[in-house]
Amino acid sequence: MAKRRGIMSEHLKEEIAKELGFYDVVQREGWGGIKARDAGNMVKRAIEMAERGVSEDKRSL
């Protein structure tokens, strides 16, 4: 099976993991060590950030 290419940059993933409080797990065990709930919360946070960015872009038009 081919390895999937991530959409989020490594830096963004690390920043969100720090914000959500599980970056220590990532450092110890890698991304495969995080809980499914943490992964879901990370995606949710990234979507919120993207939506906020889009709405800010629309206001600047």
Side-chain angles (χ1 to χ4, degrees):
M1 177 182 264
K3 188 174 181 178
R4 286 193 269 167
R5 187 174 146 260
I7 294 174
M8 282 194 279
S9 71
E10 195 69 20
H11 178 73
L12 178 59
K13 290 192 302 188
E14 290 173 0
E15 289 302 313
I16 294 173
K18 288 175 186 175
E19 180 181 320
L20 296 177
F22 59 87
Y23 185 65
D24 58 324
V25 175
V26 173
Q27 288 182 306
R28 279 194 320 270
E29 303 176 31
W31 291 108
I34 66 172
K35 297 176 184 175
R37 177 176 295 201
D38 289 335
N41 287 336
M42 194 168 91
V43 170
K44 182 179 176 182
R45 180 70 180 113
I47 291 169
E48 289 170 353
M49 293 168 72
E51 287 175 343
R52 187 177 46 218
V54 168
S55 68
E56 289 174 2
D57 286 348
K58 287 182 179 179
R59 282 186 276 179
S60 67
L61 292 177

